[in-house]
Amino acid sequence: FYDSTGALRDIVQNHVLQILSLVCMEPPVSLSADDVRDEKMKVFSGIRHIEPRDVDNYTVRGQYSGGLLLNERVKSYKEEDKVPADSTTETFVAAKLYVDSWRWSGVPFYVRTGKRLAKRATEIAIQLKSIPRVLFGESPGDSVSPNVIALNIQPDEGIAMLFEAKVPGMGYRIQPVKMDFRYGEAFGATAPDAYERLLMDAMLGDASLYSRADAVEETWSVVQPILDGWQQQSTPAHPYLPGSWGPAEADAFIERDGRKWRRL
Protein backbone atom coordinates (compact mmCIF):
# COMPACT_ATOMS: atom_id res chain seq x y z
CA PHE A 1 0.00 0.00 0.00
CA TYR A 2 2.54 2.58 1.10
CA ASP A 3 4.88 2.31 -1.88
CA SER A 4 2.08 3.27 -4.23
CA THR A 5 1.04 6.14 -1.96
CA GLY A 6 3.92 7.95 -0.25
CA ALA A 7 3.94 10.52 2.53
CA LEU A 8 2.28 13.31 0.53
CA ARG A 9 -0.84 11.31 -0.26
CA ASP A 10 -0.84 9.35 3.00
CA ILE A 11 -0.39 12.19 5.49
CA VAL A 12 -0.26 15.66 3.93
CA GLN A 13 -3.43 15.51 1.82
CA ASN A 14 -5.60 14.63 4.80
CA HIS A 15 -4.01 14.87 8.26
CA VAL A 16 -1.69 17.83 7.71
CA LEU A 17 -4.17 19.91 5.72
CA GLN A 18 -6.89 19.17 8.28
CA ILE A 19 -4.65 20.50 11.05
CA LEU A 20 -3.79 23.52 8.92
CA SER A 21 -7.48 24.26 8.47
CA LEU A 22 -8.09 24.12 12.24
CA VAL A 23 -5.30 26.63 12.82
CA CYS A 24 -6.47 29.03 10.11
CA MET A 25 -10.26 28.78 10.23
CA GLU A 26 -12.41 31.63 11.50
CA PRO A 27 -14.73 30.93 14.45
CA PRO A 28 -17.85 29.13 13.16
CA VAL A 29 -21.25 30.58 14.03
CA SER A 30 -21.99 27.31 15.87
CA LEU A 31 -20.41 23.92 16.48
CA SER A 32 -22.77 22.16 14.10
CA ALA A 33 -21.07 19.93 11.55
CA ASP A 34 -21.89 22.11 8.55
CA ASP A 35 -20.86 25.38 10.22
CA VAL A 36 -17.50 23.94 11.26
CA ARG A 37 -16.87 22.35 7.88
CA ASP A 38 -17.91 25.52 6.03
CA GLU A 39 -15.14 27.47 7.77
CA LYS A 40 -12.59 24.74 7.11
CA MET A 41 -13.62 24.69 3.47
CA LYS A 42 -12.84 28.41 3.20
CA VAL A 43 -9.28 27.65 4.32
CA PHE A 44 -8.86 24.82 1.82
CA SER A 45 -10.12 27.11 -0.95
CA GLY A 46 -7.58 29.75 0.06
CA ILE A 47 -4.49 27.52 0.01
CA ARG A 48 -2.28 28.72 -2.80
CA HIS A 49 -1.68 26.05 -5.43
CA ILE A 50 1.97 25.33 -6.14
CA GLU A 51 2.74 25.37 -9.84
CA PRO A 52 4.38 22.11 -10.99
CA ARG A 53 7.41 24.02 -12.28
CA ASP A 54 7.96 25.52 -8.79
CA VAL A 55 7.73 22.38 -6.64
CA ASP A 56 11.44 22.32 -5.84
CA ASN A 57 11.13 25.83 -4.36
CA TYR A 58 8.26 24.87 -2.07
CA THR A 59 8.76 21.19 -1.21
CA VAL A 60 11.40 18.61 -0.27
CA ARG A 61 11.09 14.85 -0.66
CA GLY A 62 13.02 12.29 1.38
CA GLN A 63 13.39 8.55 1.85
CA TYR A 64 15.03 6.91 4.86
CA SER A 65 18.17 4.90 4.30
CA GLY A 66 19.58 2.06 6.38
CA GLY A 67 21.63 2.71 9.47
CA LEU A 68 21.86 2.43 13.23
CA LEU A 69 18.93 3.29 15.47
CA LEU A 70 19.46 2.81 19.23
CA ASN A 71 22.59 0.80 18.40
CA GLU A 72 20.62 -1.62 16.25
CA ARG A 73 20.88 -2.02 12.50
CA VAL A 74 17.62 -0.98 10.82
CA LYS A 75 16.53 -1.52 7.26
CA SER A 76 16.37 1.16 4.65
CA TYR A 77 12.97 1.78 3.08
CA LYS A 78 14.05 -0.14 -0.03
CA GLU A 79 14.87 -3.16 2.15
CA GLU A 80 11.36 -3.34 3.60
CA ASP A 81 9.14 -6.24 2.55
CA LYS A 82 7.55 -5.92 -0.89
CA VAL A 83 9.28 -2.60 -1.64
CA PRO A 84 11.06 -2.52 -5.03
CA ALA A 85 14.81 -2.04 -4.87
CA ASP A 86 14.53 0.98 -7.16
CA SER A 87 11.61 2.64 -5.33
CA THR A 88 11.59 6.45 -5.27
CA THR A 89 8.54 6.74 -2.99
CA GLU A 90 8.93 9.52 -0.43
CA THR A 91 8.79 8.66 3.28
CA PHE A 92 9.38 12.32 4.22
CA VAL A 93 7.87 15.56 2.97
CA ALA A 94 8.52 19.17 3.91
CA ALA A 95 6.57 21.98 2.32
CA LYS A 96 5.88 25.69 2.54
CA LEU A 97 2.25 26.65 2.05
CA TYR A 98 0.38 29.93 1.90
CA VAL A 99 -3.27 30.64 2.69
CA ASP A 100 -4.36 33.60 0.59
CA SER A 101 -7.03 34.99 2.90
CA TRP A 102 -7.32 38.43 4.49
CA ARG A 103 -6.07 37.15 7.83
CA TRP A 104 -3.22 34.92 6.65
CA SER A 105 -2.01 36.57 3.44
CA GLY A 106 1.80 36.52 3.31
CA VAL A 107 2.20 34.20 6.31
CA PRO A 108 4.22 31.06 5.47
CA PHE A 109 3.13 27.71 6.91
CA TYR A 110 5.95 25.17 7.11
CA VAL A 111 4.83 21.56 7.39
CA ARG A 112 6.76 18.31 7.55
CA THR A 113 6.04 14.65 8.13
CA GLY A 114 8.09 11.51 7.90
CA LYS A 115 8.77 7.95 8.93
CA ARG A 116 11.75 6.76 11.01
CA LEU A 117 12.39 10.22 12.42
CA ALA A 118 14.04 11.01 15.75
CA LYS A 119 10.73 11.15 17.62
CA ARG A 120 7.08 10.30 17.07
CA ALA A 121 5.28 13.56 17.69
CA THR A 122 2.58 15.81 16.30
CA GLU A 123 2.82 19.51 17.07
CA ILE A 124 1.46 22.84 15.87
CA ALA A 125 3.89 25.68 16.54
CA ILE A 126 2.62 29.22 16.04
CA GLN A 127 5.52 31.68 15.98
CA LEU A 128 4.48 35.24 16.70
CA LYS A 129 6.02 38.22 14.94
CA SER A 130 9.26 39.68 16.25
CA ILE A 131 8.91 42.84 18.29
CA PRO A 132 9.86 46.03 16.45
CA ARG A 133 12.15 47.33 19.20
CA VAL A 134 14.17 45.63 21.94
CA LEU A 135 13.64 47.34 25.30
CA PHE A 136 15.75 44.91 27.33
CA GLY A 137 19.26 43.81 26.67
CA GLU A 138 22.89 44.42 27.44
CA SER A 139 23.39 46.36 24.21
CA PRO A 140 21.27 47.85 21.41
CA GLY A 141 22.25 44.94 19.20
CA ASP A 142 20.69 42.29 21.43
CA SER A 143 17.85 40.41 19.78
CA VAL A 144 14.81 38.74 21.29
CA SER A 145 13.49 35.47 19.91
CA PRO A 146 9.83 35.58 18.86
CA ASN A 147 7.29 34.10 21.26
CA VAL A 148 5.90 30.67 20.33
CA ILE A 149 2.61 28.96 21.17
CA ALA A 150 3.01 25.20 20.75
CA LEU A 151 0.01 22.87 20.68
CA ASN A 152 1.07 19.30 21.43
CA ILE A 153 -1.31 16.82 19.83
CA GLN A 154 0.66 13.58 20.26
CA PRO A 155 1.90 11.85 22.30
CA ASP A 156 1.30 14.19 25.29
CA GLU A 157 -1.65 16.46 24.63
CA GLY A 158 -1.08 19.97 25.94
CA ILE A 159 -0.15 23.56 25.27
CA ALA A 160 3.20 25.25 25.81
CA MET A 161 4.23 28.89 25.57
CA LEU A 162 7.81 29.92 24.97
CA PHE A 163 8.75 33.51 25.68
CA GLU A 164 11.68 35.63 26.78
CA ALA A 165 12.07 36.58 30.45
CA LYS A 166 14.52 38.79 32.32
CA VAL A 167 17.01 36.86 34.42
CA PRO A 168 16.77 37.97 38.10
CA GLY A 169 19.43 40.44 39.10
CA MET A 170 20.60 43.96 38.45
CA GLY A 171 21.47 43.32 34.81
CA TYR A 172 19.19 43.16 31.81
CA ARG A 173 19.99 39.72 30.50
CA ILE A 174 17.05 37.83 29.04
CA GLN A 175 16.64 34.18 28.11
CA PRO A 176 13.85 31.93 26.81
CA VAL A 177 11.53 30.21 29.31
CA LYS A 178 8.67 27.76 28.89
CA MET A 179 5.22 27.46 30.43
CA ASP A 180 3.85 23.96 29.93
CA PHE A 181 0.34 22.54 30.37
CA ARG A 182 -0.35 18.82 29.97
CA TYR A 183 -3.81 17.32 30.04
CA GLY A 184 -2.62 14.16 31.76
CA GLU A 185 -0.89 16.06 34.56
CA ALA A 186 -3.67 18.62 35.06
CA PHE A 187 -6.65 16.27 34.98
CA GLY A 188 -5.12 12.91 35.84
CA ALA A 189 -6.40 11.42 32.60
CA THR A 190 -5.52 11.55 28.93
CA ALA A 191 -7.84 12.47 26.09
CA PRO A 192 -9.60 9.61 24.26
CA ASP A 193 -7.78 8.02 21.35
CA ALA A 194 -8.53 9.74 18.04
CA TYR A 195 -10.39 6.77 16.62
CA GLU A 196 -12.36 6.32 19.84
CA ARG A 197 -13.67 9.85 19.36
CA LEU A 198 -14.46 9.29 15.70
CA LEU A 199 -16.31 6.05 16.37
CA MET A 200 -18.32 7.69 19.15
CA ASP A 201 -19.19 10.64 16.89
CA ALA A 202 -20.30 8.22 14.17
CA MET A 203 -22.63 6.48 16.63
CA LEU A 204 -24.02 9.84 17.75
CA GLY A 205 -24.44 11.11 14.19
CA ASP A 206 -21.99 14.00 14.66
CA ALA A 207 -20.13 14.60 11.38
CA SER A 208 -18.05 17.59 12.55
CA LEU A 209 -14.73 15.73 12.41
CA TYR A 210 -15.46 13.93 9.16
CA SER A 211 -14.36 15.33 5.82
CA ARG A 212 -17.04 16.57 3.47
CA ALA A 213 -16.87 15.71 -0.23
CA ASP A 214 -16.13 19.26 -1.38
CA ALA A 215 -13.27 19.53 1.12
CA VAL A 216 -11.77 16.24 -0.04
CA GLU A 217 -11.80 17.44 -3.64
CA GLU A 218 -10.28 20.78 -2.66
CA THR A 219 -7.42 19.22 -0.69
CA TRP A 220 -6.62 16.96 -3.64
CA SER A 221 -6.55 20.03 -5.87
CA VAL A 222 -3.80 21.37 -3.58
CA VAL A 223 -1.77 18.15 -3.60
CA GLN A 224 -2.11 17.06 -7.23
CA PRO A 225 0.01 19.88 -8.74
CA ILE A 226 2.80 18.91 -6.34
CA LEU A 227 2.63 15.30 -7.48
CA ASP A 228 2.60 16.45 -11.11
CA GLY A 229 5.58 18.71 -10.49
CA TRP A 230 7.61 15.98 -8.81
CA GLN A 231 7.04 13.78 -11.83
CA GLN A 232 7.76 16.49 -14.38
CA GLN A 233 10.86 17.78 -12.58
CA SER A 234 12.07 14.29 -11.60
CA THR A 235 12.39 15.54 -8.03
CA PRO A 236 14.58 13.11 -6.06
CA ALA A 237 13.76 11.57 -2.69
CA HIS A 238 16.78 12.67 -0.68
CA PRO A 239 18.17 10.04 1.69
CA TYR A 240 18.16 10.55 5.46
CA LEU A 241 19.33 8.42 8.36
CA PRO A 242 16.80 6.71 10.63
CA GLY A 243 16.57 8.56 13.93
CA SER A 244 17.34 11.91 12.28
CA TRP A 245 14.92 14.76 11.56
CA GLY A 246 14.91 14.16 7.82
CA PRO A 247 17.26 14.98 4.94
CA ALA A 248 19.73 17.84 5.14
CA GLU A 249 17.92 19.39 2.17
CA ALA A 250 14.90 20.01 4.41
CA ASP A 251 17.04 22.08 6.78
CA ALA A 252 18.51 24.05 3.89
CA PHE A 253 14.98 24.52 2.53
CA ILE A 254 13.72 26.44 5.58
CA GLU A 255 17.04 28.15 6.29
CA ARG A 256 16.78 29.88 2.92
CA ASP A 257 14.01 31.95 4.51
CA GLY A 258 16.07 32.74 7.60
CA ARG A 259 14.16 30.24 9.74
CA LYS A 260 14.72 26.78 11.22
CA TRP A 261 12.67 23.78 12.28
CA ARG A 262 11.71 23.48 15.95
CA ARG A 263 13.24 20.66 17.93
CA LEU A 264 10.43 18.48 19.26
Side-chain angles (χ1 to χ4, degrees):
F1 160 76
Y2 192 85
D3 196 65
S4 61
T5 304
L8 186 70
R9 292 185 180 97
D10 186 40
I11 301 296
V12 175
Q13 181 273 328
N14 42 51
H15 300 289
V16 170
L17 293 185
Q18 287 293 327
I19 290 175
L20 178 65
S21 72
L22 291 171
V23 172
C24 297
M25 65 185 282
E26 298 296 325
V29 296
S30 78
L31 292 180
S32 70
D34 279 338
D35 286 340
V36 170
R37 295 191 292 185
D38 284 346
E39 294 301 331
K40 292 172 70 175
M41 181 60 190
K42 293 177 185 177
V43 177
F44 296 141
S45 299
I47 298 176
R48 185 185 305 174
H49 291 189
I50 298 172
E51 294 293 333
R53 65 177 179 272
D54 295 328
V55 289
D56 291 340
N57 295 326
Y58 289 92
T59 67
V60 173
R61 303 175 74 232
Q63 184 187 95
Y64 66 86
S65 58
L68 291 177
L69 182 61
L70 300 177
N71 293 323
E72 292 187 7
R73 173 72 168 79
V74 295
K75 297 178 180 178
S76 68
Y77 175 72
K78 294 176 182 177
E79 294 174 318
E80 300 288 357
D81 293 341
K82 300 182 180 179
V83 174
D86 59 351
S87 173
T88 59
T89 298
E90 78 281 355
T91 61
F92 174 95
V93 174
K96 178 170 67 172
L97 303 173
Y98 286 95
V99 179
D100 291 328
S101 65
W102 279 49
R103 184 182 296 277
W104 299 109
S105 179
V107 177
F109 291 86
Y110 297 93
V111 300
R112 61 176 174 169
T113 182
K115 290 182 174 293
R116 291 284 193 184
L117 299 183
K119 184 178 180 181
R120 184 179 179 87
T122 304
E123 181 194 77
I124 303 166
I126 303 168
Q127 180 171 299
L128 306 186
K129 290 184 177 180
S130 298
I131 59 175
R133 181 183 177 192
V134 177
L135 298 180
F136 296 98
E138 302 263 342
S139 68
D142 287 346
S143 61
V144 177
S145 298
N147 295 343
V148 175
I149 302 172
L151 310 179
N152 304 299
I153 300 175
Q154 288 180 340
D156 300 316
E157 294 86 352
I159 303 171
M161 292 187 63
L162 287 81
F163 56 92
E164 302 286 325
K166 178 183 174 296
V167 177
M170 298 299 294
Y172 287 98
R173 187 165 59 89
I174 56 176
Q175 68 181 41
V177 295
K178 182 179 181 181
M179 294 181 64
D180 205 356
F181 160 74
R182 303 284 176 174
Y183 278 95
E185 296 176 4
F187 300 111
T190 57
D193 179 79
Y195 289 103
E196 290 182 62
R197 174 67 186 273
L198 287 174
L199 290 171
M200 178 61 74
D201 286 351
M203 296 175 193
L204 297 176
D206 183 354
S208 301
L209 297 179
Y210 287 84
S211 295
R212 202 166 59 190
D214 57 348
V216 173
E217 292 180 3
E218 194 64 44
T219 54
W220 275 112
S221 74
V222 172
V223 167
Q224 191 59 51
I226 300 174
L227 292 169
D228 294 341
W230 285 349
Q231 184 176 23
Q232 294 171 17
Q233 306 295 328
S234 299
T235 302
H238 301 287
Y240 63 93
L241 293 174
S244 70
W245 286 105
E249 288 78 5
D251 293 331
F253 165 74
I254 194 171
E255 288 168 1
R256 288 200 303 263
D257 295 341
R259 300 182 173 93
K260 61 182 179 179
W261 299 108
R262 271 175 47 79
R263 288 290 182 183
L264 303 182

